[in-house]
Amino acid sequence: MPGALQRPAVVARVSDLIGRTPLLELAVTETGSRLLLKLEMYNPTGTAKIRMARAMIDAAETAGELRSGGRIIESTSGNTGLGLAVVAAERGYHFTAVVDNHACADKLRGMKALGTDLVRVGDDGTEALATAAREELAEQMARGQDNTVFTEQHNNPANGAGYFPVAHELVEALDGKLDVLIAAVGTGGALFGTARELRTLISGFTVVGVEPKGSIAFGGPAHDYYQSGTGTPEGAELGALVDFGLLDEGVKVGDIEAFATCRAVARTGLLIGGSAGGVVHEALTRLSALPPGSTMVALVNDGGEKYLDTVFHDDWMRERDLLSPGAEQEIDELLTKLRGNR
């Protein structure tokens, strides 16, 4: 990895550690095509979303909407909230996160430890996503309040802009050699923000978006899913950052396949989050069909440590009919084959 990608040895704030995350070569075909994982879990909070959290706060400050001692409000399934919590703590802001029971418990505990006020919707004990209800409440809480900002991640241009540095990091690390960019699509900020900036730097690459089966961004049918922090559930509006003009292909991956991939990849020594499992599953299955010598980069926007009680817990998986030894074995065998070419 070029020295330019190294972080400084000493920093003054946690947020100074954002970015310059590593690339890991996970698999290589016999024809020299390779799958590289952009490991965004090496950001503070273990997720890419702290990039856009900082950018949204920067934008609110620049616009004069957020001043000393102000309050930030956001609807979040966890990772955006963790990022906002860190930056709010550094800058002396109060932060309120509107959450539902779909969020992983560790993410909620992490936000609370960072000083976040948690407000829950859907206290009926179900694990269903309540994105629309969360956002409605967050907007109501901020409306008319002085020095209070609803960052509204699904429609905030700063979300996408927060990922522009990812494009520069990729071009720098790969000397501009990139053929496929593949990532999860939730708010759309990570994939489309990165792709938009990449288009200004290089050309000739393909953009592939991945959402869970049950999400509606790429069409129906709609149903519940367990992949966290990604997709557009029924009843939620598609975010303004989802740019179909930048998208070459949109695909769906089911929870069983996504989580089986997480568990198989873990046996190589790497823990990735549930939605990242969907991205890596799709990337692995299409890698061998690429032209010889291609480079595919998958944005791994979340680490797996937050999912030890869910994706990596046999009882939790079994209770929800998500545990599939057969699916895991298929990915194990594919990984073994592809990793043998390195």
Side-chain angles (χ1 to χ4, degrees), residues 62-116:
T62 299
E65 298 170 350
L66 191 62
R67 306 177 301 281
S68 178
R71 180 171 296 277
I72 300 159
I73 300 176
E74 183 55 87
S75 160
T76 174
S77 60
N79 281 332
T80 300
L82 285 168
L84 288 168
V86 168
V87 182
E90 286 185 339
R91 302 187 187 183
Y93 298 126
H94 305 284
F95 173 48
T96 299
V98 182
V99 302
D100 57 31
N101 292 322
H102 189 79
C104 290
D106 280 351
K107 295 179 184 178
L108 301 180
R109 287 192 286 262
M111 283 189 280
K112 190 171 182 180
L114 289 162
T116 302

Side-chain angles (χ1 to χ4, degrees), residues 2-333:
L5 288 180
Q6 295 177 0
R7 288 170 171 167
V10 178
V11 299
R13 301 176 300 181
V14 172
S15 62
D16 292 334
L17 295 169
I18 296 171
R20 302 208 172 275
T21 54
L23 285 162
L24 174 71
E25 185 182 82
L26 181 67
V28 180
T29 68
E30 293 180 351
T31 61
S33 293
R34 56 182 182 159
L35 171 60
L36 306 180
L37 307 184
K38 180 66 165 161
L39 298 181
E40 288 290 281
M41 72 275 279
Y42 285 91
N43 283 302
T45 71
T47 170
K49 291 193 174 182
I50 194 169
R51 291 182 185 262
M52 62 91 148
R54 179 176 63 180
M56 292 193 300
I57 292 176
D58 285 345
E61 291 175 343
T62 299
E65 298 170 350
L66 191 62
R67 306 177 301 281
S68 178
R71 180 171 296 277
I72 300 159
I73 300 176
E74 183 55 87
S75 160
T76 174
S77 60
N79 281 332
T80 300
L82 285 168
L84 288 168
V86 168
V87 182
E90 286 185 339
R91 302 187 187 183
Y93 298 126
H94 305 284
F95 173 48
T96 299
V98 182
V99 302
D100 57 31
N101 292 322
H102 189 79
C104 290
D106 280 351
K107 295 179 184 178
L108 301 180
R109 287 192 286 262
M111 283 189 280
K112 190 171 182 180
L114 289 162
T116 302
D117 297 323
L118 298 178
V119 176
R120 292 179 182 265
V121 300
D123 279 334
D124 54 4
T126 70
E127 295 176 322
L129 274 165
T131 304
R134 285 195 333 239
E135 294 191 1
E136 182 179 354
L137 179 57
E139 184 178 10
Q140 288 176 356
M141 292 176 67
R143 189 181 300 133
Q145 299 299 311
D146 181 55
N147 201 14
T148 299
V149 172
F150 171 33
T151 43
E152 198 178 2
Q153 59 176 311
H154 284 84
N155 295 302
N156 192 327
N159 177 345
Y163 294 101
F164 288 177
V166 178
H168 291 267
E169 291 170 27
L170 291 176
V171 170
E172 202 175 329
L174 301 174
D175 293 327
K177 171 60 175 172
L178 174 63
D179 299 290
V180 181
L181 177 69
I182 184 169
V185 175
T187 68
L191 177 59
F192 297 108
T194 302
R196 180 175 299 282
E197 186 69 2
L198 268 175
R199 296 287 190 206
T200 71
L201 304 171
I202 60 174
S203 60
F205 64 94
T206 298
V207 177
V208 180
V210 181
E211 69 172 348
K213 289 182 179 178
S215 175
I216 61 171
F218 305 144
H223 57 74
D224 290 342
Y225 54 87
Y226 287 98
Q227 293 172 65
S228 177
T230 187
T232 305
E234 187 174 24
E237 292 186 7
L238 191 63
L241 300 168
V242 177
D243 187 346
F244 290 106
L246 288 170
L247 185 71
D248 294 296
E249 188 177 355
V251 298
K252 296 175 181 285
V253 176
D255 289 336
I256 290 175
E257 293 78 15
F259 296 165
T261 302
C262 292
R263 292 161 69 94
V265 170
R267 292 189 279 274
T268 73
L270 179 69
L271 289 172
I272 62 175
S275 62
V279 173
V280 174
H281 181 275
E282 183 63 27
L284 286 170
T285 57
R286 63 173 59 210
L287 183 64
S288 294
L290 294 178
S294 296
T295 297
M296 178 189 294
V297 171
L299 301 184
V300 174
N301 288 337
D302 197 11
E305 290 81 1
K306 305 182 188 80
Y307 306 94
L308 297 178
D309 291 334
T310 54
V311 174
F312 298 103
H313 195 291
D314 287 0
D315 291 342
W316 186 92
M317 292 279 287
R318 192 176 293 111
E319 288 167 3
R320 291 155 181 81
D321 295 322
L322 297 172
L323 191 63
S324 176
E328 290 184 39
Q329 184 176 352
E330 287 183 13
I331 300 300
D332 277 330
E333 292 173 353

